[in-house]
Amino acid sequence: PCEHSFPTRRSSDLSGTFGAKLETLVNIVSTIPDTDRVLVFVQFDDLFIKVEEALRSYGIPVATLAGSAKQRS
């Protein structure tokens, strides 16, 4: 199990809106210096929308890159 302790930067108005996992993602990403970049891979379109919404709601800038991969036999 991961035992890292990340500082949190929550907005009381949005806390609980996105669920524990997305709030954890937002809290981790918000600890990264503004000069650094973070790459988040999301497999499912519906989850992608929620991740983007959560990050933007907390004031974290988002750029997206969408694509697909062909399955090889």
Side-chain angles (χ1 to χ4, degrees):
C2 182
E3 296 185 19
H4 295 287
S5 176
F6 295 99
T8 59
R9 191 172 70 179
R10 293 184 183 208
S11 167
S12 60
D13 295 337
L14 298 173
S15 184
T17 303
F18 298 105
K21 290 179 182 178
L22 283 179
E23 285 188 15
T24 299
L25 173 66
V26 169
N27 287 331
I28 292 170
V29 171
S30 69
T31 66
I32 307 298
D34 291 340
T35 56
D36 290 350
R37 302 292 179 254
V38 176
L39 182 60
V40 178
F41 287 94
V42 180
Q43 183 175 359
F44 305 106
D45 291 337
D46 59 336
L47 180 58
F48 170 79
I49 293 167
K50 291 177 184 177
V51 168
E52 183 178 20
E53 184 180 316
L55 292 170
R56 289 185 191 278
S57 293
Y58 281 84
I60 298 171
V62 176
T64 61
L65 175 64
S68 62
K70 293 182 180 181
Q71 185 175 6
R72 297 183 187 190
S73 311

